[in-house]
Amino acid sequence: MKKSVFVTGASRGIGKAISLRMAKLGHSVFLVARDEKALDAVADECRAMNANVGYLAGELTDTSYLDIALQAAVDAHGAVDVLVNNAGAARPESMQEANLEAWRQIMDLNFNSVAYLSRQVLPAMIEKGAGSVINISSISGRSGSAGNGIYSATKHALNGLSECMYEDVRDHGIKVSSIMPGFVNTSLTGDMGLNSGNMITPEDVADAVEYVVSSSPTCCPTEIVLRPQLRP
């Protein structure tokens, strides 16, 4: 069954890979991110696979923009059947040196925008009796490391939200899944001095999203952990 998929952070990396995979599978896709030029390029790649695609560039911490984007997706595709909360940012620095205003902005993007979008789409999913909310979290949501305070905190929060959201909506036929990759070969890991060739690829994460979207209505993959097979 073909679905309407709304993907945040769709202009590059994991979000781009997920968008292209959903388009390849024949789903309609609606793409959001800050970079309009990059979104347009991803949309062109989706159209090349004959997908029904729309996009709107903007700031994901702006709830007015999120409302407009969601309405545009509904107008274009009739509904939001699958919400993929992928957009995120990191800021490596220790707690004692933290720029707390910058940390607040990361919390707004990594967590608050997810909560807002999920709150907005769930009533229609409940009315329909079906839907999926897929949150791209991180293995950092299960552990901590020096200099990773705000990113790890947002991902711990996201995992907790996902678990509670699932309990809220599971009896309405709605899937909620938290996908937790380790090191993924994207711009977020480019300055870590690691072996990118041993990292998870964005397409690996797209595999996990595909699995959730195509999973049986009698089960829900609530948590998927992806680890690099070889140490980066």
Side-chain angles (χ1 to χ4, degrees):
M1 180 179 177
K2 303 310 178 187
K3 299 175 181 178
S4 169
V5 184
F6 189 100
V7 184
T8 72
S11 61
R12 61 182 181 174
I14 293 171
K16 177 180 177 179
I18 292 169
S19 301
L20 294 177
R21 179 67 60 83
M22 294 297 101
K24 183 178 181 180
L25 293 170
H27 299 303
S28 299
V29 291
F30 197 91
L31 319 175
V32 297
R34 295 188 183 103
D35 189 334
E36 183 169 10
K37 185 177 179 180
L39 276 180
D40 185 61
V42 176
D44 282 345
E45 290 189 58
C46 293
R47 293 188 189 101
M49 292 182 278
N50 298 314
N52 185 0
V53 57
Y55 70 89
L56 184 67
E59 175 53 62
L60 274 83
T61 59
D62 180 351
T63 57
S64 296
Y65 159 71
L66 296 179
D67 286 338
I68 293 168
L70 286 171
Q71 188 59 55
V74 171
D75 292 343
H77 303 145
V80 174
D81 300 313
V82 180
L83 170 63
V84 182
N85 290 304
N86 164 74
R91 185 182 175 90
E93 60 188 356
S94 65
M95 185 71 244
Q96 64 269 27
E97 297 173 340
N99 179 327
L100 293 180
E101 175 57 24
W103 280 30
R104 184 194 65 77
Q105 293 170 7
I106 291 174
M107 179 63 78
D108 280 346
L109 176 62
N110 290 11
F111 180 78
N112 291 335
S113 69
V114 172
Y116 188 84
L117 284 169
S118 301
R119 171 63 180 86
Q120 296 303 96
V121 302
L122 282 173
M125 289 182 179
I126 290 170
E127 184 175 353
K128 189 175 181 179
S132 299
V133 177
I134 302 173
N135 296 323
I136 308 303
S137 183
S138 169
I139 198 69
S140 292
R142 285 191 163 186
S143 60
S145 59
N148 200 34
I150 185 57
Y151 185 74
S152 182
T154 61
K155 296 306 184 179
H156 274 81
L158 186 55
N159 288 342
L161 177 68
S162 298
E163 184 175 356
C164 295
M165 194 190 314
Y166 173 66
E167 295 297 339
D168 286 338
V169 300
R170 61 186 298 185
D171 291 324
H172 297 284
I174 299 167
K175 298 180 187 300
V176 181
S177 183
S178 179
I179 299 175
M180 293 172 269
F183 290 113
V184 183
N185 188 10
T186 68
S187 58
L188 280 180
T189 58
D191 297 329
M192 292 183 174
L194 300 173
N195 181 352
S196 62
N198 285 355
M199 291 182 183
I200 298 165
T201 69
E203 289 72 25
D204 294 329
V205 184
D207 287 342
V209 172
E210 179 180 347
Y211 176 70
V212 176
V213 171
S214 62
S215 61
S216 164
T218 59
C219 75
C220 179
T222 55
E223 294 185 344
I224 299 175
V225 176
L226 302 173
R227 299 290 297 274
Q229 182 62 49
L230 303 176
R231 296 178 192 275

Coordinates of all heavy atoms in Angstrom, one line a residue, residues 5 18 51 89 93 100 106 112 115 119 128 136 145 159 168 204 221 230:
V5 N 4.6 10.2 2.9 CA 5.7 10.2 3.9 C 6.3 11.6 4.0 O 6.6 12.2 3.0 CB 6.9 9.2 3.5 CG1 7.9 9.2 4.6 CG2 6.3 7.8 3.2
I18 N 16.6 8.4 3.1 CA 15.3 8.0 3.4 C 14.3 8.4 2.4 O 13.4 7.7 1.9 CB 14.9 8.5 4.8 CG1 15.7 7.8 5.9 CG2 13.4 8.2 5.1 CD1 15.5 8.4 7.3
A51 N 8.1 9.5 -8.5 CA 7.4 9.7 -7.3 C 6.6 11.0 -7.2 O 7.0 12.0 -7.9 CB 8.4 9.7 -6.1
A89 N 21.0 18.2 15.0 CA 22.2 18.9 15.1 C 23.0 18.5 16.3 O 22.4 18.0 17.3 CB 22.1 20.4 15.0
E93 N 30.9 19.9 23.0 CA 31.6 20.8 24.0 C 31.2 20.3 25.4 O 30.2 19.7 25.6 CB 31.2 22.3 23.9 CG 29.8 22.6 24.0 CD 29.5 24.0 23.7 OE1 30.4 24.8 23.4 OE2 28.3 24.4 23.7
L100 N 24.9 27.7 26.6 CA 23.6 27.2 26.9 C 22.5 27.7 26.0 O 21.5 27.0 25.7 CB 23.2 27.5 28.4 CG 24.1 26.8 29.4 CD1 23.6 27.1 30.8 CD2 24.0 25.2 29.2
I106 N 19.6 23.6 20.0 CA 19.7 22.2 19.6 C 18.5 21.4 20.2 O 17.9 20.5 19.5 CB 21.0 21.6 19.9 CG1 22.1 22.3 19.1 CG2 21.1 20.1 19.8 CD1 23.5 21.9 19.4
N112 N 12.1 19.3 20.5 CA 10.9 20.1 20.6 C 10.1 20.0 19.2 O 8.9 19.9 19.2 CB 11.1 21.5 21.0 CG 11.5 21.6 22.5 OD1 11.2 20.7 23.3 ND2 12.2 22.7 22.8
A115 N 8.4 16.7 19.0 CA 7.2 16.6 19.8 C 6.0 17.4 19.1 O 4.9 17.0 19.1 CB 7.5 17.2 21.2
R119 N 2.6 15.7 17.7 CA 1.3 16.2 18.2 C 0.4 16.6 17.1 O -0.8 16.3 17.2 CB 1.6 17.3 19.2 CG 0.3 18.0 19.7 CD -0.6 17.1 20.5 NE -1.8 17.8 21.0 CZ -2.9 17.9 20.3 NH1 -3.0 17.4 19.0 NH2 -3.9 18.5 20.8
K128 N -7.9 7.8 11.4 CA -7.8 6.8 10.3 C -7.5 5.4 10.8 O -7.8 4.4 10.2 CB -6.6 7.3 9.4 CG -6.5 6.5 8.2 CD -5.4 7.1 7.3 CE -5.3 6.3 6.0 NZ -4.2 6.9 5.1
I136 N 14.4 9.3 14.2 CA 15.8 8.9 14.0 C 16.6 9.5 15.2 O 16.9 10.6 15.3 CB 16.4 9.5 12.7 CG1 15.5 9.1 11.5 CG2 17.8 9.0 12.5 CD1 15.3 7.6 11.3
S145 N 29.0 10.3 26.6 CA 30.5 10.4 26.4 C 30.9 11.9 26.7 O 30.0 12.8 26.5 CB 30.9 9.9 25.1 OG 30.2 10.7 24.0
N159 N 14.2 9.1 22.8 CA 13.9 7.7 23.1 C 12.8 7.6 24.1 O 11.9 6.7 23.9 CB 15.2 6.9 23.5 CG 16.2 6.7 22.4 OD1 15.8 6.8 21.2 ND2 17.4 6.4 22.8
D168 N 0.8 5.5 24.1 CA -0.4 6.4 24.0 C -1.2 6.0 22.8 O -2.4 6.1 22.8 CB 0.1 7.9 23.8 CG 0.6 8.5 25.0 OD1 0.2 8.1 26.1 OD2 1.3 9.5 24.9
D204 N 21.9 2.4 5.1 CA 21.6 1.4 6.1 C 20.4 1.9 7.0 O 19.5 1.1 7.4 CB 22.8 1.2 7.0 CG 23.9 0.5 6.3 OD1 23.7 -0.3 5.3 OD2 25.1 0.8 6.6
P221 N 8.1 -2.6 15.3 CA 9.5 -2.5 15.7 C 9.8 -1.2 16.5 O 10.1 -0.2 15.9 CB 10.3 -2.5 14.4 CG 9.2 -2.7 13.3 CD 7.9 -2.3 13.9
L230 N 32.3 -3.0 11.7 CA 33.8 -2.8 12.0 C 33.9 -1.5 12.8 O 33.2 -0.5 12.5 CB 34.6 -2.8 10.7 CG 34.5 -4.0 9.8 CD1 35.3 -3.8 8.5 CD2 34.9 -5.3 10.5

